[in-house]
Amino acid sequence: MSIHRLPDLLVNKIAAGEVVERPASVLKELVENSLDAGATNVQVHLEQCGQALLRVSDDGMGIPPDDLPLAVAPHATSKIRHETDLEAIATLGFRGEALASIAAVAHVAVVSRPRGFDAAGRVTASGQQISPVSPASSPVGTTVEVRDLFYNVPARRKFLRSSQTEAAAVNEQLARLAIPHPQVGFRLTHGKRVVHELSACDDVRQRIRDFFGPELADELIEISRDERGLSLKGWVAPPAQTRATGKWQYTFLNGRYIRDRLLQHAVREAYRGLVMVNRFPVVFLFLGLDPAAVDVNVHPTKIEVRWRNARLVHSQVLVALRETFGHRDLTPPVEPLQEAHPDQEQERIRQQIAELFKQASPVQQRLEFAGPRVVSSSPPIAAPPEAPPLPSETPIPPVRTDRPTPVPSKAEALPDQIAEPGGPIRAMQLHGTYLVTESEDGLIIVDQHALHERILYESLSARVARGPLTSQRLLLPESFAASDSQIAAAENHRALLEQLGFVIEPFGPQTLAVHAYPAVLRPTGLSDFAGDLLDRLAEHAADVRPQTLLLGLVELMACKAAVKAGDPLTPEEIASLLAQRQRVERSSFCPHGRPTTLRMTLRDLEKQFKRI
Ligand code: ADP
Ligand code: MG
């Protein structure tokens, strides 16, 4: 076949393939035009989920009749003029091809009356045909009608999913446009049904409430941060409000919905350890940045952007979220029990509590002792020991990196402080696994392993960020049979392992030996644990950053070093563990995201026992 230029219609159809995928994409382009035109009210009407008709009307600045044919012509725009304009895009559109692309795959009619004009003009476009402008009557603003989407692209039409799926996509698209523009009123109708009626307001939370309902909106925590040219506002859900997909992470840049791996990563990191694995937090984040500091001309639908200062963006988001959660008690309340069979439930709870108390022998497990709440000097557990290394040929210097004990100020005190500060801690270990104690407003049940693991994770990850962990030399290296990938991992990640306090070296064919191990670990089962670490390294090294990898290993270590379910604890150990609970950031969840603590308020108890 010879090389030849493609006819314009075909070029437009190809371009349409990039931006016009389904009714929801038409909605996006039309509503973006309305927003760019300064509309304060946008009405969207659909017939057959937008496939038969999708109409958007606005009260924006309008298009002068003479310009109407240009509006539907390819590569014609009023939003940029020079190449340099591309460097700082302040509008949602700028490519000048949306209407032309849509006209290549549907019948388009535009009626518009600019402010100051006493009549409207009308133009239609379909394929290559652009009609002459005819007079029309209309209030100030613009109405664009798109009929019979993909009438001339059978392949696309076939590809459209069930009408329910298309309706859901339209709805989702409207959320992405309406949430960042609360000051614009929106109304979405589908056939005879009003789907959304969002009145203009000046509050994002109100808009979220109108769109998604109060259960979601009223839980959100507001965050705000303004630094080094980046303004960040957000409404983020507490970690207990997670969803099964990442779709609930709405991120916007200068009023435009974007999807960005950097932002996703920052969110994931901030909630790390706070949410269960495979659960996703709900966030609405709004970034404001000088348009020159970001390139939105990366993708035809402009959903991806390129940052000029990616680091700043990442760290600001991470810090803002972390600070928010650092200052709140995130302990999930004990699930309220179903109202369905109150009597049965109540009886069940009574029995369970009675059972617990029976099993807890009063002598051994009812502890009552006075003493400082914050256990000083080396407590028997919970704080990683910093034993000096044994003498050996190449001693690794001990690192003293204990961070000063953060004592929570009155203002930041958690609502469920355990007993009164300085007073006695009354706690019980039940089933060798759970610690039950009194809080100011009820009772707290702690999973001893999960809590200890979290405490260790926090302290180890803080230390490891500062330098290698204290290492303990083995007098006799502990050798173990190793796979090729484990041997390779030991070789390739020597530095990383040393950071953790491990020295692992080849020890004959298919054999490795642990020469030194982190002092925080008990020396039993070291070679098994080393094997696990190396497997983890071999598996993930290729696709995560060293810092993330290191934290993953710290997680494994915290789990290994923590007391286990079933380990009996001494009163001092219990006191130490509970005291640290309040000092450790994010202590409400273990690093795997399981809760460490459940809480039941007196009110909950009173309700359950029908005392109120
Ligand atoms: P772009 O938005 O990239 O400029 P479009 O094809 O979407 O390209 O629109 C072409 C032009 O038509 C816009 O630049 C604008 O001048 C005009 N236009 C389209 N829709 C509207 C509207 N709702 N109100 C006012 N002007 C509009
Ligand atoms: Mg546009």
Side-chain angles (χ1 to χ4, degrees):
M1 224 199 306
S2 63
I3 300 183
H4 53 269
R5 291 202 174 272
L6 295 175
D8 285 351
L9 179 60
L10 191 47
V11 171
N12 290 347
K13 262 198 183 180
I14 292 171
E18 287 177 349
V19 281
V20 189
E21 197 190 339
R22 57 196 328 184
S25 11
V26 175
L27 175 112
K28 171 175 187 284
E29 295 299 333
L30 300 188
V31 173
E32 283 190 350
N33 282 345
S34 298
L35 292 169
D36 280 345
T40 60
N41 239 302
V42 178
Q43 314 220 354
V44 183
H45 178 71
L46 313 176
E47 295 289 345
Q48 292 174 31
C49 301
Q51 293 173 45
L53 170 67
L54 197 158
R55 179 172 59 222
V56 174
S57 309
D58 66 51
D59 60 353
M61 67 168 70
I63 308 166
D66 291 351
D67 282 355
L68 276 174
L70 268 184
V72 288
H75 310 297
T77 179
S78 56
K79 299 171 192 175
I80 57 172
R81 188 167 288 275
H82 303 291
E83 194 182 329
T84 47
D85 294 342
L86 265 189
E87 284 160 23
I89 303 281
T91 47
L92 294 168
F94 60 88
R95 300 165 57 98
E97 60 180 22
L99 290 183
S101 297
I102 295 167
V105 293
H107 305 298
V108 173
V110 184
V111 174
S112 190
R113 177 174 150 206
R115 282 180 206 133
F117 283 62
D118 29 309
R122 172 185 158 93
V123 74
T124 61
S126 179
Q128 292 245 269
Q129 309 295 318
I130 299 179
S131 74
V133 179
S134 58
S137 81
S138 141
V140 167
T142 304
T143 295
V144 180
E145 273 187 5
V146 176
R147 288 185 188 272
D148 302 327
L149 183 62
F150 301 136
Y151 74 96
N152 56 352
V153 196
R156 265 298 154 127
R157 212 171 44 225
K158 235 187 277 162
F159 197 72
L160 286 182
R161 318 272 181 80
S162 76
S163 48
Q164 222 173 11
T165 313
E166 294 308 321
V170 161
N171 201 54
E172 172 64 20
Q173 190 59 63
L174 186 69
R176 297 175 182 182
L177 293 158
I179 300 287
H181 297 100
Q183 70 290 351
V184 178
F186 286 88
R187 183 184 159 93
L188 172 65
T189 50
H190 187 181
K192 292 198 165 64
R193 207 161 66 84
V194 179
V195 185
H196 282 290
E197 177 88 72
L198 310 168
S199 13
C201 58
D202 46 61
D203 178 18
V204 172
R205 190 195 294 273
Q206 181 61 42
R207 177 51 56 90
I208 296 173
R209 189 181 292 122
D210 290 345
F211 204 97
F212 292 115
E215 299 90 285
L216 176 89
D218 295 348
E219 288 281 345
L220 299 173
I221 303 165
E222 187 170 344
I223 63 173
S224 168
R225 193 179 176 85
D226 212 325
E227 228 169 275
R228 297 174 48 207
L230 174 69
S231 94
L232 171 66
K233 283 220 169 312
W235 282 264
V236 304
Q241 294 276 319
T242 55
R243 303 284 161 133
T245 78
K247 154 182 137 36
W248 291 89
Q249 300 184 358
Y250 288 89
T251 44
F252 303 94
L253 169 67
N254 296 341
R256 184 198 305 282
Y257 175 86
I258 57 165
R259 230 178 6 230
D260 182 67
R261 293 185 48 175
L262 188 80
L263 290 178
Q264 286 165 356
H265 184 267
V267 170
R268 207 164 50 236
E269 281 294 293
Y271 279 85
R272 185 190 174 74
L274 296 176
V275 301
M276 305 275 244
V277 277
N278 297 331
R279 300 289 300 174
F280 297 84
V282 179
V283 303
F284 298 88
L285 294 179
F286 301 81
L287 282 81
L289 204 55
D290 177 354
V294 66
D295 185 359
V296 294
N297 190 19
V298 181
H299 191 271
T301 64
K302 310 170 201 105
I303 200 167
E304 283 167 24
V305 298
R306 216 173 276 134
W307 310 96
R308 301 245 196 278
N309 189 349
R311 220 167 234 264
L312 172 72
V313 172
H314 185 269
S315 72
Q316 295 282 307
V317 170
L318 185 59
V319 168
L321 287 171
R322 281 223 173 121
E323 277 179 359
T324 308
F325 300 138
H327 288 284
R328 274 167 190 265
D329 178 29
L330 302 162
T331 305
V334 172
E335 287 281 320
L337 299 151
Q338 304 103 325
E339 303 284 272
H341 306 289
D343 293 344
Q344 249 171 300
E345 269 306 334
Q346 208 177 330
E347 186 49 30
R348 200 176 60 84
I349 290 177
R350 265 208 201 104
Q351 274 179 8
Q352 279 185 352
I353 291 180
E355 201 55 34
L356 284 178
F357 280 85
K358 256 188 269 162
Q359 283 165 7
S361 111
V363 189
Q364 255 245 299
Q365 281 159 321
R366 186 166 170 85
L367 309 165
E368 185 156 357
F369 53 89
R373 212 167 50 79
V374 176
V375 176
S376 59
S377 65
S378 52
I381 60 145
E386 287 285 7
L390 294 180
S392 68
E393 323 83 67
T394 50
I396 295 169
V399 201
R400 295 245 150 226
T401 49
D402 303 49
R403 50 175 165 174
T405 308
V407 179
S409 73
K410 265 259 145 56
E412 311 174 339
L414 303 172
D416 59 346
Q417 290 283 21
I418 295 168
E420 332 75 85
I425 292 180
R426 290 189 296 160
M428 241 188 271
Q429 186 189 34
L430 301 179
H431 296 282
T433 300
Y434 299 109
L435 309 180
V436 180
T437 188
E438 211 174 292
S439 66
E440 255 164 25
D441 63 347
L443 65 88
I444 295 176
I445 307 169
V446 169
D447 175 331
Q448 65 187 40
H449 170 72
L451 175 61
H452 194 206
E453 186 179 19
R454 159 57 72 195
I455 290 169
L456 288 172
Y457 176 77
E458 286 293 339
S459 91
L460 289 174
S461 54
R463 277 180 208 198
V464 88
R466 278 166 216 183
L469 296 182
T470 305
S471 183
Q472 182 87 45
R473 255 347 256 188
L474 281 166
L475 287 177
L476 289 176
E478 191 174 322
S479 64
F480 60 101
S483 68
D484 288 341
S485 68
Q486 287 175 332
I487 293 170
E491 200 181 1
N492 296 338
H493 301 288
R494 232 167 180 285
L496 207 83
L497 289 164
E498 278 180 17
Q499 187 86 7
L500 292 172
F502 266 109
V503 177
I504 302 174
E505 269 162 359
F507 201 76
Q510 295 295 298
T511 311
L512 289 170
V514 180
H515 289 261
Y517 66 94
V520 58
L521 292 182
R522 278 164 254 182
T524 51
L526 271 183
S527 50
D528 284 346
F529 183 64
D532 288 349
L533 279 189
L534 294 171
D535 283 342
R536 171 76 76 107
L537 277 171
E539 206 178 309
H540 296 293
D543 43 46
V544 299
R545 294 179 310 137
Q547 195 53 32
T548 312
L549 200 57
L550 194 61
L551 286 179
L553 299 187
V554 167
E555 231 171 63
L556 282 182
M557 260 174 66
C559 183
K560 156 117 173 114
V563 294
K564 300 284 170 298
D567 285 354
L569 301 180
T570 66
E572 289 75 16
E573 288 171 333
I574 293 174
S576 156
L577 206 50
L578 292 178
Q580 288 191 70
R581 170 178 178 266
Q582 294 170 51
R583 289 195 274 121
V584 175
E585 260 179 286
R586 303 187 283 170
S587 62
S588 302
F589 290 84
C590 80
H592 303 309
R594 285 195 296 118
T596 62
T597 305
L598 297 177
R599 163 182 94 191
M600 211 179 223
T601 63
L602 285 176
R603 244 192 104 70
D604 294 335
L605 287 173
E606 282 162 0
K607 257 208 217 133
Q608 293 299 339
F609 288 115
K610 294 245 148 77
R611 307 180 99 218
I612 48 169

